[in-house]
Amino acid sequence: MKRFNTLTLITGLLASLIITCTAQAKPATANDGVIATVHPLATQAGIDAFKRGGNAIDAAVAAALTLGVVDSHNSGIGGGCFALIHLADGTILALDGREMAPAKATRDMFIRNGKADPTLSQTGALAIGIPGSLAVYDYALNHGGKLTLKDLISPAADIAEQGFIIDPTFASRLAGVADKLAQFPDSAALMLDETGKPHPVGHLHKQPDLAKTYRAIATDGINHYYNGPFALAVQNWMSENNGLVTAEDFANYTVKLREPVISNYRGYKIIGFSPPSSGGVHVAQILNILEHFDLANMDPATRAHVTAEAMKLAFADRAHWLGDPDFADVPRGLADADYANKLAQRIDLNKTITVETHSTPPGADTNLFSRHTTHIAAADSQGNWVAITATLNTSYGSKVLIPGTGVFMNNQMDDFSAQPGTPNYFGLLGAEANSVQPGKRPLSSMSPTIVLKDSQPILTLGAAGGPTIITQVVQTIINHIDLGMTLPDAVSAPRFHHQWRPNHVTVEQAVDPAIIDALKQQGHEIQTRSSMGITQAIGITSDSNLIGVHDPRARNGAAAGYERPNE
Ligand code: GLY
């Protein structure tokens, strides 16, 4: 068996938090460094890292640690991430910090009276997997950064201690889950006032316990988290709350080095993240299918139809084949160009096709991948290009804040397939390949991606938004490469999404009504959302500057550039 080496939407919810996209992205250009995130304080932390002599890896890690303070509904050290990094010497690092199921996890742990119970996989003790973000940030710094974890986590601890003013995005995300946070006394004490109301816009939000945890990590390194007081605090809470996670699970957590998925698209090299991300495989698969169509010269309605059909075919395969490659046989053939050719031939330009089930790629038995979210894009003039997508899964993850630590824990166990045929929070179906097993990592849609031309990076991008992450990345690439849009326009352009089941095309309100009518005539069912997903990207301008773009759908997002002072 040939395997990749293993070396060691939120659409509904996001739609209420982000603006309908008629706005244009505000890009930042600079020679020496650029960073784009969903929060100005995180972007500023990245710029401060550049100012202190750091590179794009330092800037991205500084931003990620700051997001854990100011954007704690989306990500934090209680969650997981994938980091895809192009180092200045051309080496690609694909760092898997996805959560891991605890050793005591079992296949049917979420089934009650014969049915999967989503409250168990989404809220509380059983929803929590062993987090990997902090381990990845540490690994990335040790293998490509110039600054230390202490240098980068200490300013974030200062913000946690001194507080920051709650903005409308934060307040709205908090209000959306206040009733669930109220079930957990420590979460309620931090996030709700004495009458049980969520903190409003304008409140100065201080997190003294998180500041203490960050400072302890600054002093003792990640051992504090994986082999010390933090792991013990989780174990204590778990034993009082019928949880499964132990301190030993934390000690056993490792960053896995994955072999990236590399494919070619119209003369560009697309570098994606391999399983347990489904992103790299299916971004490659969708683009491979679309390469058989002259998208640039198609009318927009046919282009939308063909792209939606390609998405549908890919997501049907995702539901069947994808899982953690260390446990499930994930065929490499899914990203194969000949396989994509066969799928492309099934697409009818005039009407939608019925896709009852997955297809079977070549080598399905033998040629295998061995095996509410945020995206950070950073790049520098030395050639370090970074794409980190990090998540707690849904807002505030499991809603559990481990007492005394200030850290919210993920609910990534919901990304396993709790029961074949039962959709997860995002409506995604899964099969045995993504069933729960001890030590296994749940399937993800996170799709950090880097694009090369003539071996040089020209684009780093990724997104938040559950399964729409994959289709956002595809559309930004098509908009930029096929349609020649500038990067700000490529990110801002109205989006659509198809994930096979449910069998409809989800379109943003801003999609041209003529395209929607044409899709309906071709037999597509249409669902409309005000807004879908949040993408961050960095590219290169025609005069060879770096250009960073945050998605205008995120009210707060910020891209910023850094110029080294003249010596
Ligand atoms: N938790 C969302 C994802 O990883 O796809």
Side-chain angles (χ1 to χ4, degrees):
M1 250 183 225
K2 189 165 164 230
R3 289 167 183 268
F4 274 85
N5 264 341
T6 298
L7 298 176
T8 75
L9 191 40
I10 312 176
T11 47
L13 190 53
L14 281 174
S16 63
L17 310 172
I18 51 191
I19 51 178
T20 303
C21 201
T22 42
Q24 286 297 299
K26 266 196 239 118
T29 53
N31 276 309
D32 294 316
V34 168
I35 179 152
T37 81
V38 296
H39 200 286
L41 290 175
T43 297
Q44 186 57 47
I47 294 295
D48 291 344
F50 281 129
K51 285 185 183 158
R52 295 162 77 191
N55 62 17
I57 296 151
D58 300 299
V61 169
L65 292 165
T66 306
L67 286 169
V69 177
V70 299
D71 195 57
S72 52
H73 41 277
N74 280 323
S75 66
I77 61 172
C81 73
F82 296 131
L84 188 64
I85 301 173
H86 175 281
L87 295 176
D89 68 3
T91 308
I92 302 286
L93 296 177
L95 307 180
D96 173 357
R98 186 69 166 162
E99 292 84 344
M100 181 182 85
K104 289 188 195 148
T106 55
R107 183 181 180 281
D108 295 334
M109 62 187 277
F110 299 117
I111 298 187
R112 300 289 181 276
N113 302 319
K115 267 187 69 181
D117 180 349
T119 55
L120 296 175
S121 59
Q122 289 172 15
T123 307
L126 295 182
I128 298 170
I130 321 308
S133 286
L134 183 64
V136 159
Y137 303 153
D138 187 56
Y139 190 101
L141 292 178
N142 290 333
H143 291 81
K146 290 175 147 181
L147 303 176
T148 63
L149 185 60
K150 182 175 187 170
D151 293 332
L152 300 173
I153 205 168
S154 301
D158 292 343
I159 299 176
E161 198 163 80
Q162 287 154 20
F164 67 95
I165 301 293
I166 290 184
D167 60 48
T169 303
F170 190 105
S172 144
R173 291 289 289 272
L174 176 55
V177 293
D179 56 336
K180 292 205 173 107
L181 291 167
Q183 295 170 29
F184 302 97
D186 292 84
S187 309
L190 183 67
M191 306 309 294
L192 312 177
D193 70 15
E194 37 313 320
T195 70
K197 288 211 183 74
H199 296 314
V201 175
H203 175 82
L204 178 66
H205 186 50
K206 295 185 180 181
Q207 299 166 84
D209 285 343
L210 182 59
K212 255 193 282 166
T213 298
Y214 270 24
R215 293 207 197 288
I217 293 168
T219 306
D220 299 332
I222 66 169
N223 268 336
H224 172 85
Y225 190 89
Y226 287 102
N227 297 289
F230 185 85
L232 287 171
V234 175
Q235 175 169 284
N236 289 342
W237 184 88
M238 287 280 168
S239 61
E240 286 161 13
N241 291 276
N242 302 317
L244 304 179
V245 178
T246 63
E248 201 179 338
D249 287 320
F250 273 74
N252 288 336
Y253 189 88
T254 53
V255 173
K256 296 208 172 180
L257 300 191
R258 302 290 181 186
E259 184 180 334
V261 180
I262 299 183
S263 59
N264 294 299
Y265 182 65
R266 304 198 202 275
Y268 293 83
K269 193 166 269 187
I270 311 290
I271 302 177
F273 211 98
S274 62
S277 163
S278 60
V281 170
H282 294 305
V283 167
Q285 186 184 16
I286 296 168
L287 291 174
N288 284 346
I289 296 172
L290 293 177
E291 207 170 21
H292 294 277
F293 299 90
D294 184 5
L295 297 182
N297 293 308
M298 254 175 195
D299 68 87
T302 309
R303 185 164 58 234
H305 163 68
V306 165
T307 308
E309 295 291 270
M311 293 171 179
K312 182 166 78 182
L313 286 160
F315 272 87
D317 282 358
R318 182 191 191 278
H320 180 77
W321 295 110
L322 267 283
D324 180 342
D326 295 340
F327 291 78
D329 291 341
V330 183
R332 285 167 171 266
L334 290 165
D336 181 86
D338 291 337
Y339 177 56
N341 184 18
K342 290 200 185 92
L343 296 180
Q345 285 173 29
R346 290 181 60 188
I347 294 178
D348 182 331
L349 288 182
N350 300 309
K351 64 176 197 314
T352 184
I353 54 167
T354 303
V355 178
E356 289 297 350
T357 184
H358 65 279
S359 306
T360 301
D365 298 331
T366 53
N367 187 12
L368 307 170
F369 282 93
S370 66
R371 305 200 214 109
H372 291 168
T373 306
T374 196
H375 185 78
I376 301 157
D380 64 37
S381 52
Q382 290 111 66
N384 299 295
W385 286 60
V386 183
I388 298 179
T389 312
T391 189
L392 292 177
N393 197 22
T394 60
S395 296
Y396 300 99
S398 61
K399 320 296 182 272
V400 171
L401 183 133
I402 299 299
T405 70
V407 176
F408 275 107
M409 301 300 284
N410 67 83
N411 59 348
Q412 222 66 250
M413 294 295 283
D414 190 58
D415 273 351
F416 281 117
S417 174
Q419 195 176 30
T422 303
N424 74 353
Y425 177 83
F426 300 104
L428 289 165
L429 296 175
E432 205 51 52
N434 190 34
S435 61
V436 185
Q437 282 180 255
K440 188 175 177 181
R441 301 181 184 208
L443 186 58
S444 171
S445 297
M446 296 191 293
S447 313
T449 304
I450 293 175
V451 179
L452 308 184
K453 178 82 180 162
D454 303 327
S455 306
Q456 296 304 315
I458 57 119
L459 186 59
T460 172
L461 76 165
T468 73
I469 292 173
I470 295 172
T471 56
Q472 290 176 65
V473 168
V474 165
Q475 287 170 90
T476 305
I477 290 174
I478 292 171
N479 291 343
H480 195 45
I481 290 180
D482 291 76
L483 307 185
M485 290 184 194
T486 63
L487 197 54
D489 287 350
V491 170
S492 308
R495 298 180 179 136
F496 53 91
H497 171 75
H498 201 311
Q499 63 179 53
W500 179 55
R501 295 287 184 268
N503 185 12
H504 58 237
V505 187
T506 309
V507 299
E508 287 187 327
Q509 262 165 17
V511 169
D512 182 347
I515 295 179
I516 296 177
D517 284 348
L519 286 171
K520 283 183 182 160
Q521 276 173 22
Q522 285 153 328
H524 293 280
E525 268 188 44
I526 304 290
Q527 295 256 319
T528 307
R529 296 214 181 268
S530 54
S531 181
M532 224 164 12
I534 299 175
T535 291
Q536 266 66 244
I538 293 175
I540 293 187
T541 61
S542 51
D543 50 0
S544 304
N545 269 335
L546 297 166
I547 175 166
V549 179
H550 78 82
D551 197 321
R553 293 164 183 82
R555 287 189 186 123
N556 275 339
Y562 168 69
E563 302 287 359
R564 211 173 295 120
N566 292 331
E567 263 130 46

